[in-house]
């Protein structure tokens, strides 16, 4: 809980700090990476640093946390914290690193805001930082301990070597990998919707970490699927890790993988479920659908997917087969540029106007931000409460804490 005095100061200075956050975060990362180059090389995603998305997510989360503290000083924005904590544990950050972030973040704040940072202002924001850091540390400790206990590991190091037992091509750009722990110990616990982190050693010697959602749960292995991030599709350079994995990772190779984490997972229940995805966003949805099929679920399941065309649509056959196994499931597929005959009302971007959304639906969404924004809006219009709409994003979450 924020002290009354600090709450007053934070409320008064929130517009100034918020207004300068776009200058503060790049400077913070610049200072931190100058002092600790290994953090950029081996821990942070340098693609997200280059395109600025991680900076935006960090700034947004601190502003959202401070705003929430002021609005409700006695409560904690747990959803916001959980999303960050799962990501932190997945990449393997340590509690002592919160001091490093604190040092460089506050140095950047002082440098940008100058004399506006009186001792009183510094103390109030210090309190916000440590409230957030300590809340994250507590959640992260618990997540690490649970995962470590289930695997018989030391919570201080959850990375394990995995052997690739098979690899197959889903589409021209999407490859699925099946991996098994190389140490012979049991698989970690996993829930459909969660992701693993993989640590790839790149040609320049850097170890870069990326997340990949589980795309199914075949016996005895973890399964994830990687889409090559191409310059053509992204508008930036070719993605480093996805292309490296496509080019080099073969059956028999060993790769460091952290166990599944992620705050968006299919919840148990009997009510209707809607799984909506676009492009490679169907990896977690395929895992959820596979779980529903494997457990003989009788829930109403509505799957909605959007892709460029039939050839770019990964898991197209799985979608048909899994849907057929479920007694109350229907799949709706939209193609922007369908090949051959394709219904007109399923041509173009995903549009729920002609899809029945049953009352009491819990929705899971995954895809690019414009897709998430559009589908979330359509679900709200269809009467699905915001609290029943869960989403995963394949990058730093720029919606964190905001009612998008
Ligand atoms: C929770 C989660 C789950 C995910 N699940 C999946 C999944 O199931 N399957 C999947 O394929 N992916 C998934 N991802 C995405 C995945 O983690 C990677 O982000 C993706 O593979 C791209 O990584 P990369 O190293 O190839 O690209 P990067 O090198 O990290 O590049 C990423 C983007 O940044 C741009 N960029 C890089 N450098 C610059 C620069 N200098 N200037 C401007 N732009 C730049 C690139 O053009 C590209 O668009 C998931 C991500 C998250 C967070
Ligand atoms: C109170 C302090 C902190 C806050 C508010 C914070 C906030 C965030 C946020 C919002 C994300 C993105 C989460 C998502 O969208 O999934 C993130 C990711 C991350 N954080 Fe933190 N963080 C803090 C401390 C730290 C510390 C101490 C480290 C370690 C040096 C760290 C390393 C990372 C890394 C490596 C990622 C993933 C980056 C990426 O993939 O681009 N964070 N953090």
């Amino acid at each position: 809980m924020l002290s009354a005095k600090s709450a007053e100061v934070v409320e008064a200075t929130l517009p100034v700090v918020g207004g300068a956050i776009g200058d503060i975060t790049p400077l913070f990362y610049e200072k931190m990476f100058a002092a600790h180059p290994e953090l950029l090389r081996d821990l942070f995603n340098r693609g997200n640093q280059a395109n600025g998305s991680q900076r935006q997510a960090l700034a947004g989360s601190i502003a959202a946390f401070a705003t929430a503290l002021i609005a409700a000083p006695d409560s904690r924005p747990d959803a916001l914290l959980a999303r960050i904590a799962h990501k932190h544990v997945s990449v393997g950050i340590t509690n002592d690193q919160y001091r490093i972030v604190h040092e460089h973040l506050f140095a950047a704040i002082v440098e940008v805001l100058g004399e506006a940072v009186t001792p009183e202002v510094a103390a109030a924001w210090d309190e916000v930082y440590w409230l957030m850091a300590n809340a994250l540390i507590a959640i992260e400790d618990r997540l690490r301990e649970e995962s470590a206990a289930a695997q018989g590991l030391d919570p201080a190091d959850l990375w394990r070597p995995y052997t690739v037992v098979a690899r197959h091509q889903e589409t021209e750009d999407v490859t699925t990998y099946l991996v098994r722990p190389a140490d012979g110990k049991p698989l970690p616990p996993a829930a459909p919707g969660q992701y693993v982190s993989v640590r790839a050693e790149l040609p320049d010697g850097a170890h870069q970490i990326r997340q990949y959602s589980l795309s199914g749960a075949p016996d005895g292995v973890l399964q994830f699927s990687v889409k090559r991030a191409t310059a053509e599709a992204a508008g930036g350079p070719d993605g480093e890790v996805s292309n490296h994995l496509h080019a080099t990772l073969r059956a028999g190779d060993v790769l460091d993988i952290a166990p599944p984490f992620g705050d968006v997972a299919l919840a148990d229940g009997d009510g209707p479920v809607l799984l909506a995805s676009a492009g490679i966003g169907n990896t977690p949805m395929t895992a959820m659908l596979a779980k529903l099929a494997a457990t003989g679920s009788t829930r109403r399941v509505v799957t909605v997917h959007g892709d460029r065309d039939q050839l770019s649509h990964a898991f197209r056959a799985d979608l048909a087969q899994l849907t057929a196994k479920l007694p109350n499931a229907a799949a709706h597929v939209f193609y922007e540029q369908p090949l051959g005959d394709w219904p007109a009302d399923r041509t173009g971007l995903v549009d729920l106007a002609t899809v029945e959304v049953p009352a009491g639906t819990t929705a899971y969404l995954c895809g690019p931000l414009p897709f998430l924004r559009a589908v979330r809006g359509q679900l709200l219009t269809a009467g699905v409460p915001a609290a029943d709409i869960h989403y995963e994003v394949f990058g730093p979450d720029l919606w964190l804490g905001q009612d998008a």
Side-chain angles (χ1 to χ4, degrees):
M1 182 185 154
L2 195 60
S3 66
K5 185 167 160 35
S6 293
E8 216 174 274
V9 177
V10 169
E11 189 166 10
T13 51
L14 194 54
V16 183
V17 176
I21 204 102
D23 295 327
I24 293 169
T25 44
L27 190 59
F28 149 62
Y29 280 113
E30 199 182 290
K31 286 178 179 296
M32 183 167 76
F33 294 144
H36 297 276
E38 75 285 359
L39 292 180
L40 179 58
R41 199 181 57 233
D42 296 334
L43 178 66
F44 279 83
N45 176 328
R46 59 189 181 187
N48 291 344
Q49 288 301 323
N51 66 29
S53 53
Q54 174 58 23
R55 291 157 193 213
Q56 256 179 287
L58 177 87
S61 74
I62 295 176
F65 185 79
T67 307
L69 273 186
I70 289 163
D74 295 334
S75 61
R76 260 182 18 179
D78 276 346
L80 161 79
L81 295 170
R83 163 96 24 149
I84 304 171
H86 277 267
K87 184 70 73 63
H88 279 167
V89 175
S90 177
V91 295
I93 79 157
T94 54
N95 294 350
D96 55 311
Q97 288 171 331
Y98 278 91
R99 293 203 171 276
I100 300 176
V101 165
H102 175 266
E103 178 190 340
H104 298 289
L105 183 60
F106 278 73
I109 291 176
V110 169
E111 193 168 323
V112 170
L113 294 181
E115 286 172 4
V117 190
T118 61
E120 198 185 32
V121 170
W125 280 94
D126 211 58
E127 209 178 317
V128 171
Y129 178 86
W130 284 113
L131 273 174
M132 190 167 188
N134 286 328
L136 285 169
I137 287 171
I139 304 172
E140 288 161 18
D141 278 345
R142 183 177 50 76
L143 289 173
R144 270 191 292 266
E145 274 154 24
E146 282 170 4
S147 182
Q151 298 174 79
L153 296 180
D154 177 353
D157 186 11
L158 296 178
W159 289 99
R160 286 168 75 184
Y162 282 71
T163 307
V164 178
V165 294
R167 131 180 192 150
H168 55 262
Q169 213 65 30
E170 303 285 353
T171 66
E172 195 187 337
D173 285 334
V174 179
T175 304
T176 289
Y177 298 94
L178 304 182
V179 298
R180 180 178 293 146
D183 55 14
K185 290 191 190 153
L187 282 175
Q194 291 193 308
Y195 52 82
V196 290
S197 278
V198 309
R199 184 162 57 192
E201 185 170 347
L202 296 173
D204 69 351
H207 291 88
Q208 281 282 295
I209 300 170
R210 296 292 183 271
Q211 289 71 47
Y212 293 103
S213 301
L214 300 172
S215 57
D219 280 347
V221 292
L222 292 179
Q223 172 183 317
F224 59 89
S225 306
V226 180
K227 177 172 183 178
R228 280 188 323 119
T230 57
E232 190 192 359
D238 276 348
E240 285 199 278
V241 173
S242 59
N243 283 287
H244 178 77
L245 296 177
H246 272 244
T248 63
L249 191 64
R250 301 274 180 271
D253 290 347
V254 174
L255 181 71
D256 281 345
I257 298 183
F261 287 105
D263 60 317
V264 180
L266 180 68
D268 292 337
D270 300 327
V273 186
L274 183 137
L275 308 175
S277 52
I280 192 61
N282 63 357
T283 45
M285 302 307 154
T286 306
M288 290 187 195
L289 202 58
K291 170 76 183 278
L292 290 163
T295 52
S297 174
T298 55
R299 294 172 83 166
R300 269 195 80 178
V301 181
V302 177
T303 307
V304 186
H305 178 72
D307 229 301
R308 189 191 64 221
D309 59 32
Q310 288 88 335
L311 294 180
S312 67
H313 181 177
F315 310 109
R316 189 167 154 236
D318 301 62
L319 177 60
Q321 283 159 15
L322 293 168
T323 306
K325 280 191 190 159
L326 289 160
N328 287 311
H332 307 272
V333 178
F334 294 74
Y335 292 129
E336 284 175 69
Q337 299 159 27
L339 304 166
D341 277 346
W342 192 253
D345 67 348
R346 293 290 177 267
T347 300
L349 299 177
V350 166
D351 182 356
L352 298 185
T354 56
V355 173
E356 195 198 336
V357 180
T361 288
T362 303
Y364 296 91
L365 277 46
C366 186
L369 276 182
F371 164 84
L372 293 176
R373 209 170 278 129
V375 172
R376 186 174 184 274
Q378 292 165 16
L379 286 169
L380 292 172
T381 306
V384 180
D388 294 335
I389 306 174
H390 308 281
Y391 68 90
E392 187 58 271
V393 247
F394 283 180
D397 184 356
L398 304 180
W399 272 2
L400 267 175
Q402 296 167 38
D403 197 15

